[in-house]
Amino acid sequence: MPSDPTPPAVREIADGYAFTGPALDLGAVLLDGTAYPDAPVRIPLGVLNRHGLVAGATGTGKTKTLQLIAEQLSGQGVPVFLADIKGDVSGVAAPGTPSERTAARAAEVGQRWAPQGCPTEFYALGGLGAGIPIRATVTSFGPLLLSKVLDLNETQESSLSLVFHYADGKGLELYDLKDLTAVIAFLASPEGKEELRTIGGLSAATAGVILRALTVLENEGAGAFFGEPEFDTAELLRTTADGKGVVSVLELPAVQDRPRLFSTFLMWLLADLYQELPEVGDLDRPKLVFFFDEAHLLFKGASKAFLEAITQTVRLIRSKGVGIFFVTQTPRDVPSDVLAQLGNRVQHALRAFTPDDAKALKATVSTFPRSSYDLGAVLTSLGTGEAVVTVLSEKGAPTPVAATRLRAPQSLMGPIEATALQAAVDASPLTARYRDAVDRESAYEKLAARAPRPQAAPVEAPSGEAPAPEEPREPASRREEPRGAGGLLGSLLNNPTVKSFARSAGRQLGQEISRSLFGTSKRRR
């Protein structure tokens, strides 16, 4: 009888990944440059709500690891959310292209490779770029997340929270940035200061800082992200008729020069999911797995309150059936309180070219369980598509550390054609629901209506000029009106049905809104 060619060290590691329930296949144990296909490395499906980290230097294969995990989750009926920062994840929607390299990788790790795409929806923030527009109202975004986007300090953040509190209590709906600007300008006026006297105050200097930050944000095009129709995050939880999980890809190349905005917007998605989903405890499979790419952008420059809110969201959303994978270059990019909650780790190669690199390498090695590997040497010698893995077992205990040669994704490893992406967006049933922005009566119009009208006394015009009209001419679009100016509602809002609906929504929002960890509001129904 032939002896087992698998080294005892490899067999010992493989025993730690011999799960009985459904699991995702990552690859095969790697030892001294050789992959052992009879020693698979896997992640139990039921522990993916314990969150995870995918880390590694640029060009080591992190994106392909996300794609590999996403397509297997989809195949097992779990919806997935992916942020596509560089525009190269869209290939998950199309079957991969067979090649000698792919066939060789499949043989090395014992994979039965076959080209296969996933059911995919493509989104874009505010419709900037290809994708179904994702928008949020200013109210639902909340003061804490908005303060992060505006780079406000803690004093300015508390003042912005006061503005939101006032607007909630007075039934001033904050749908877009124009609404928020109008409320801040009003509260900085003599009349507004008097109304704030019993609950606090808003200094002119702080109001000026916030207004300038809002102007910069709007000039960068971010005004398109705030407004209606607001995206319902329940869309991210869909499955197809044949039981596959829908992969939601947020296309971000058009806004990659605004990293603070898109990272904070992703946090809004998580906060909204936390608000809406019921408690379910531990399931046999998660309801959604959320991949948070370029995670260091979320934590950079964050206030203490913001970091505490992230930590609590990560800790508590597990019981809602949502798993979060943070994707970044080194574990040091993630605060220790958050890192401690990430039970599943896929660590690609690290570089040690500088003293800072060496320090990061040493810190990364210290975060892994003890193993027989010289992790410092292994992590600097891994090739593209190889990683060091440790996950939680079905009993919740860490598995042995395993150097792993990863499987090849079965979907296209690269972006799909722009025409194919646009065709997918056009064919989506969600496009008609979210494509066109809606501008309803809200704080801007209500405060403009309260503004005292000028006396109708005749004004003498300079010689040779016609008298000025009593009121300014209504612009073609409300968005073209000067900030803080008066004016009539557009033709849409003159419709009696729309006006009635707006008044009804205003009465509902006039109630004090309960806010979650990030100050986000409950979704209007």
Side-chain angles (χ1 to χ4, degrees):
M1 185 174 183
S3 60
D4 186 355
T6 306
V10 172
R11 178 55 55 199
E12 183 179 353
I13 293 172
D15 289 344
Y17 292 87
F19 310 124
T20 57
L24 308 182
D25 294 306
L26 291 182
V29 174
L30 183 67
L31 182 65
D32 297 330
T34 300
Y36 292 85
D38 58 343
V41 177
R42 312 165 74 211
I43 304 180
L45 202 57
V47 303
L48 286 172
N49 69 330
R50 304 296 182 92
H51 312 316
L53 176 73
V54 178
T58 300
T60 55
K62 295 192 300 294
T63 301
K64 299 301 172 280
T65 297
L66 304 190
Q67 197 168 334
L68 172 67
I69 296 174
E71 64 187 23
Q72 291 189 65
L73 284 168
S74 174
Q76 299 209 43
V78 179
V80 177
F81 177 90
L82 288 171
D84 190 6
I85 306 294
K86 298 182 289 292
D88 53 5
V89 182
S90 59
V92 73
T97 303
S99 67
E100 292 184 4
R101 186 175 179 182
T102 301
R105 172 60 65 104
E108 290 171 352
V109 299
Q111 177 184 12
R112 297 178 62 183
W113 191 92
Q116 187 175 19
C118 301
T120 306
E121 292 280 13
F122 295 100
Y123 298 97
L125 290 187
L128 292 183
I132 301 161
I134 291 183
R135 302 181 185 89
T137 63
V138 169
T139 288
S140 73
F141 209 72
L144 193 57
L145 288 173
L146 191 56
S147 295
K148 176 69 164 61
V149 174
L150 298 176
D151 198 20
L152 303 182
N153 62 32
E154 292 188 9
T155 299
Q156 294 155 359
E157 181 181 297
S158 64
S159 295
L160 187 60
S161 296
L162 178 65
V163 173
F164 274 71
H165 175 78
Y166 174 84
D168 285 347
K170 297 295 183 179
L172 298 172
E173 301 88 349
L174 302 178
Y175 293 152
D176 54 26
L177 294 183
K178 186 185 291 186
D179 293 324
L180 180 58
T181 299
V183 173
I184 294 172
F186 169 74
L187 292 178
S189 70
E191 181 185 356
K193 287 181 178 179
E194 182 62 26
E195 290 204 22
L196 276 182
R197 191 162 54 86
T198 59
I199 58 173
L202 178 66
S203 73
T206 299
V209 169
I210 298 174
L211 287 173
R212 285 192 295 272
L214 287 171
T215 300
V216 170
L217 187 66
E218 195 161 23
N219 288 342
E220 289 179 347
F225 308 147
F226 297 97
E228 294 187 302
E230 184 172 75
F231 183 70
D232 186 350
T233 49
E235 311 285 10
L236 304 179
L237 304 174
R238 293 183 299 135
T239 56
T240 61
D242 60 354
K244 291 185 177 180
V246 173
V247 179
S248 298
V249 178
L250 180 61
E251 291 293 309
L252 291 168
V255 294
Q256 59 181 311
D257 58 336
R258 279 158 274 175
R260 187 187 302 273
L261 177 66
F262 72 67
S263 65
T264 311
F265 207 96
L266 294 184
M267 205 65 229
W268 170 79
L269 290 176
L270 279 179
D272 194 79
L273 284 166
Y274 174 79
Q275 283 275 85
E276 296 299 314
L277 291 175
E279 294 279 340
V280 293
D282 289 325
L283 304 172
D284 61 348
R285 63 193 62 214
K287 288 186 175 182
L288 172 72
V289 176
F290 194 103
F291 290 93
F292 211 128
D293 203 0
E294 302 290 342
H296 65 282
L297 299 172
L298 178 70
F299 303 110
K300 184 179 180 181
S303 68
K304 181 180 178 182
F306 187 81
L307 291 176
E308 288 175 351
I310 292 176
T311 303
Q312 275 195 282
T313 300
V314 173
R315 181 183 298 122
L316 298 175
I317 205 169
R318 178 182 71 80
S319 63
K320 304 293 184 94
V322 177
I324 306 169
F325 273 72
F326 291 98
V327 186
T328 189
Q329 293 197 8
T330 77
R332 292 203 309 170
D333 294 333
V334 181
S336 57
D337 287 345
V338 175
L339 191 63
Q341 300 177 58
L342 310 183
N344 304 297
R345 300 275 299 279
V346 180
Q347 176 67 59
H348 288 264
L350 291 175
R351 308 302 180 214
F353 299 139
T354 69
D356 284 345
D357 290 342
K359 188 175 180 180
L361 175 62
K362 185 176 180 180
T364 299
V365 170
S366 68
T367 63
F368 279 88
R370 291 184 179 181
S371 73
S372 58
Y373 289 104
D374 179 354
L375 284 180
V378 171
L379 287 173
T380 54
S381 61
L382 291 170
T384 302
E386 298 175 348
V388 171
V389 175
T390 180
V391 302
L392 294 178
S393 70
E394 292 165 313
K395 296 181 179 179
T399 59
V401 175
T404 306
R405 182 161 292 161
L406 299 169
R407 291 185 168 212
Q410 296 183 129
S411 52
L412 183 64
M413 289 191 282
I416 61 174
E417 295 290 335
T419 52
L421 195 157
Q422 189 59 53
V425 173
D426 293 340
S428 171
L430 302 182
T431 297
R433 189 179 309 169
Y434 295 109
R435 177 183 54 211
D436 298 324
V438 176
D439 204 354
R440 297 195 279 129
E441 183 182 41
S442 49
Y444 176 84
E445 289 83 8
K446 291 182 177 182
L447 289 173
R450 289 173 57 176
R453 293 179 178 273
Q455 297 296 322
V459 178
E460 294 186 8
S463 177
E465 293 185 14
E470 291 185 8
E471 293 188 0
R473 188 175 176 182
E474 182 183 357
S477 167
R478 188 189 136 199
R479 296 193 179 276
E480 297 174 359
E481 295 181 14
R483 191 178 296 278
L488 301 174
L489 294 176
S491 59
L492 174 63
L493 291 176
N494 279 325
N495 183 297
T497 302
V498 176
K499 291 172 73 175
S500 174
F501 180 71
R503 284 194 297 270
S504 174
R507 285 193 295 271
Q508 293 175 11
L509 282 174
Q511 306 297 322
E512 184 71 18
I513 297 175
S514 63
R515 298 194 181 278
S516 72
L517 298 172
F518 281 96
T520 54
S521 73
K522 288 185 177 293
R523 184 177 299 281
R524 299 184 308 281
R525 297 207 182 270

